[in-house]
Amino acid sequence: MRRTPYATSGPYAPPVPPRELTVTSADGARLHAELHGVTDPAAPAVVLAHGWTCSTAFWAPVVRELVARHRVIVYDQRGHGRSTAPGPGGYSTEALADDLEAVLEQTLEPGRRAVVVGHSMGGMTVMAAAGRPAVRERAAAVVLCSTGASRLVERARVVPLRSERLRARVHRAILGARLPMGPVTPVSKRLLRYGTMGPGSAPAMVEACARIVHACPRAVRAGWAHVMGDLDLDARIGLLTMPAAVLVGTADRLTPPEQAHAIAAALPQCTGLTELPGLGHMTPVEDPGAVSDVIRRLAADHGGSPRTTDDLTDDDPHAVEERTT
């Protein structure tokens, strides 16, 4: 397993996990996972899925916010961090859904549920897996943070062109570029800050995010970029029948607030849409307290307990079967 040069001190340094394990996905992909926080299996559990070009290290500030009272599970998406890179056919939203199912089944005790949180591509993972049995049974609630369901290249605002068609072409070219990112430099940090973070982002915050993003292999970066360039998960949103919260930064150029509003409007049980003033796309790093507060609230109200018939609705395909057994 490869090691990556993340921050080694301060709030953005990845905490040492009390337990590490390897999760095996449906196609044999091996995913690095970490368990942090409270060891009591009855404690509220939280599963964190990171975004494109990131890793478990991205969640370090949020993990620190939650570990005192929660079981926190983080994993590296395939090809990222310390998870194995997928084969030629392993870049798809279905593969992401397979991976999330495997993480839920192999890290949670039988009958236990968790609040599942996805940032950016992690949110797309949650939406892609919305109809999967493990998600319906194991996700007590979900948080969709700084993410989108479709038309990502058309709606992004990284390159401020008026023509949607031209803007989409430029964004697609940037997104899918296979050029190596090279070392973290002052120029690369300025570009990252402009594209992904709010104008008030502290230098240490930008440095930490740059280290994480630059560690992603370029083939993996490009492989997932092509998937996101053609993303269409609008039909999956309505399958997230559990309580769901949506968060977005008002200065998010990658998945602007209009994406969050569309998702919130399509959710059957949206518990709220939180807009964080002046923040960019990296909201869990830019304001881990605000993101963690939403997670805590859902965990307190819905997390940890086994699934019961009270959680089922007439729209749930498992409802008739479970009520009649």
Side-chain angles (χ1 to χ4, degrees):
M1 292 276 186
R2 60 185 176 274
R3 296 284 177 175
T4 46
Y6 304 135
T8 57
S9 62
Y12 309 112
V16 177
R19 183 184 172 196
E20 298 177 285
L21 66 155
T22 299
V23 171
T24 303
S25 192
D27 65 352
R30 295 168 64 80
L31 310 173
H32 172 74
E34 301 174 3
L35 276 63
H36 297 263
V38 179
T39 57
D40 181 359
V46 177
V47 174
L48 304 174
H50 68 75
W52 178 56
T53 72
C54 293
S55 67
T56 57
F58 178 81
W59 290 110
V62 172
V63 170
R64 286 193 167 87
E65 289 271 347
L66 297 175
V67 289
R69 297 187 179 181
H70 301 80
R71 302 181 69 216
V72 183
I73 299 158
V74 292
Y75 73 100
D76 284 324
Q77 300 265 28
R78 56 175 56 203
H80 295 77
R82 294 166 63 187
S83 292
T84 56
Y91 293 99
S92 70
T93 54
E94 293 308 307
L96 293 175
D98 287 342
D99 294 350
L100 179 57
E101 273 204 303
V103 169
L104 293 174
E105 291 172 338
Q106 296 174 41
T107 62
L108 294 173
E109 287 74 14
R112 304 307 304 180
R113 297 192 294 163
V115 175
V116 181
V117 185
H119 170 261
S120 192
M121 194 176 81
M124 299 164 201
T125 300
V126 176
M127 289 183 278
R132 299 294 186 92
V135 173
R136 285 184 169 273
E137 294 165 9
R138 296 302 194 103
V142 301
V143 179
L144 302 173
C145 185
S146 307
T147 192
S150 65
R151 302 184 64 212
L152 300 183
V153 293
E154 292 87 355
R155 291 172 173 168
R157 296 291 183 268
V158 177
V159 180
L161 296 171
R162 290 187 178 182
S163 168
E164 182 177 285
R165 178 179 294 183
L166 180 57
R167 191 169 64 242
R169 288 179 61 185
V170 174
H171 284 150
R172 192 179 295 275
I174 295 172
L175 196 68
R178 296 179 65 91
L179 294 174
M181 297 192 75
V184 175
T185 66
V187 172
S188 68
K189 286 188 287 187
R190 283 198 295 271
L191 291 172
L192 181 76
R193 178 178 178 177
Y194 168 78
T196 69
M197 307 180 79
S201 301
M205 186 186 299
V206 178
E207 172 81 21
C209 286
R211 284 171 174 255
I212 293 169
V213 170
H214 279 242
C216 182
R218 60 176 173 171
V220 172
R221 186 179 77 238
W224 286 120
H226 288 302
V227 173
M228 292 188 293
D230 297 321
L231 191 74
D232 186 2
L233 296 173
D234 288 337
R236 305 285 182 94
I237 302 172
L239 300 177
L240 291 171
T241 56
M242 66 289 292
V246 182
L247 294 95
V248 68
T250 61
D252 189 337
R253 299 178 191 271
L254 288 178
T255 52
E258 66 181 276
Q259 292 271 22
H261 283 268
I263 292 171
L267 286 166
Q269 285 197 72
C270 184
T271 64
L273 168 59
T274 302
E275 295 191 65
L276 301 173
L279 299 193
H281 187 67
M282 303 299 210
T283 43
V285 173
E286 294 177 79
D287 193 345
V291 174
S292 299
D293 282 346
V294 174
I295 297 171
R296 288 191 195 97
R297 193 157 56 243
L298 284 174
D301 293 341
H302 308 286
S305 61
R307 185 182 179 89
T308 69
T309 54
D310 291 338
D311 298 312
L312 301 171
T313 68
D314 292 335
D315 295 328
D316 192 322
H318 298 282
V320 174
E321 178 183 353
E322 295 195 32
R323 283 176 178 154
T324 56
T325 55

